[in-house]
Amino acid sequence: MRFAAYEHRHRRRVAVVEDDGTLFPLPGVSSLSALLTETDGLPGLLAAGRQALGVPPGPHVSRVRPLPPLRPASVRDFVTFEEHVEGVRRSVDGVAGVPEQWYAAPAFYFTNPHAVYGHRDDIPVPPGSAVLDFELEVGAVIGREGRDLTPEQARDHIVGYTVFNDWSARDLQGAEMKVGLGPCKGKDTATALGPYLVTADELERHRDADGFLRLALTAEVNGEKVGEDLLSNMSWTFEEMTAYASRGTRVVPGDVLGSGTCGNGGCLAELWGLRGERTPPPLKPGDTVSLTVEGIGTLTNTVVPGSDPVPLPTGRRRSRERP
């Protein structure tokens, strides 16, 4: 099933989306995040969807304002594509290759769950940035709480998938990571999810013999294709990522795990690293980015001007007096 969150006539609803775009609202449900905490993973979500299909249909998807399919409890963004690591490392740090430590475990950072945008939402330029980039990813959504999971157990905890755009201010990111922390403000302004949450069972037919989902990925800027890849080029499966995320802690319903950016033009910075110049140029107000994932849908957003940064002083050099 495909689930959408939307606003129609000043009401927020969650619905099952049929192939023709007809919406079947879930009775009494206005938040998919809340529904995931109340249902028992994928079986409970599918049962709620079947109930919705038994009531009269709602509006067509073209007549509503799309919302992010859910408001995440947390967002862990992984980096699982070698090609992306190699290209961006060359672009940002000027060095070639993939660090050996990268192969040790599926690394991730936490990004901002309070700055989530949906399909067709405008994306503001982060304050102080002049080098804005997109990142084409897929997000796995957790539907059942778990701790210290094995990859085999983790499969039952993934309820579905959505398209994930990790908007990145490359100039802010590059500067702040010299401190040895981050990224922080380079990633803090926007993450886009949508257009739908597609339940995990829908994509099982795309799973290859090694457990990866073989889905075609395409990125376009202003209608021109700039990148394409296969999701199966990940170095870890979503189940392995979920197991790692749960190590020594919990994953809970509504957590989102980003695949990391795909290779072969999954972001502009990778292309800049390969070409030695910023071609295509950084995103600017008026640019429209469309990310398409086979079996899930197309997530489209347009960049708009952002706010100016509020001035702050630089850090004080202290005398280091002691009592």
Side-chain angles (χ1 to χ4, degrees), residues 50-205:
R50 287 191 292 270
Q51 181 181 3
L53 293 173
V55 301
H60 191 270
V61 70
S62 63
R63 300 177 62 85
V64 303
R65 179 198 165 204
L67 299 173
L70 76 160
R71 293 292 176 181
S74 73
V75 184
R76 294 173 176 88
D77 198 8
F78 286 74
V79 53
T80 69
F81 289 84
E82 282 179 296
E83 193 172 5
H84 169 73
V85 174
E86 187 171 15
V88 171
R89 193 173 185 229
R90 185 183 292 113
S91 174
V92 174
D93 298 326
V95 294
V98 177
E100 193 61 33
Q101 184 60 33
W102 180 82
Y103 296 95
F108 66 89
Y109 74 97
F110 282 98
T111 193
N112 189 352
H114 309 300
V116 174
Y117 290 77
H119 177 54
R120 299 208 305 255
D121 279 344
D122 292 336
I123 304 298
V125 175
S129 176
V131 190
L132 181 61
D133 197 358
F134 69 88
E135 298 200 47
L136 169 53
E137 308 188 26
V138 171
V141 179
I142 300 300
R144 177 183 294 171
E145 183 174 333
R147 182 186 182 96
D148 291 315
L149 300 170
T150 66
E152 293 74 23
Q153 292 169 333
R155 182 167 296 185
D156 291 334
H157 292 257
I158 298 173
V159 74
Y161 301 89
T162 189
V163 186
F164 183 123
N165 190 340
D166 175 31
W167 297 90
S168 301
R170 297 300 187 190
D171 45 356
L172 304 185
Q173 178 187 1
E176 67 197 8
M177 291 190 73
K178 288 181 172 63
V179 179
L181 291 174
C184 49
K185 284 299 173 184
K187 303 277 192 172
D188 208 30
T189 295
T191 298
L193 302 176
Y196 309 121
L197 170 73
V198 176
T199 55
D201 59 305
E202 289 283 332
L203 300 180
E204 277 301 308
R205 67 183 184 275

Side-chain angles (χ1 to χ4, degrees), residues 235-260:
S235 289
W236 290 272
T237 67
F238 282 108
E239 290 79 12
E240 291 162 347
M241 292 157 55
T242 302
Y244 188 65
S246 74
R247 183 182 294 179
T249 187
R250 299 182 301 153
V251 291
V252 301
D255 282 349
V256 173
L257 280 60
S259 65

Side-chain angles (χ1 to χ4, degrees), residues 1-18:
M1 289 183 181
R2 294 184 298 167
F3 289 83
Y6 64 94
E7 185 178 273
H8 182 61
R9 295 179 179 173
H10 308 292
R11 295 183 63 193
R12 296 193 170 205
R13 304 293 300 272
V14 174
V16 175
V17 187
E18 289 287 80

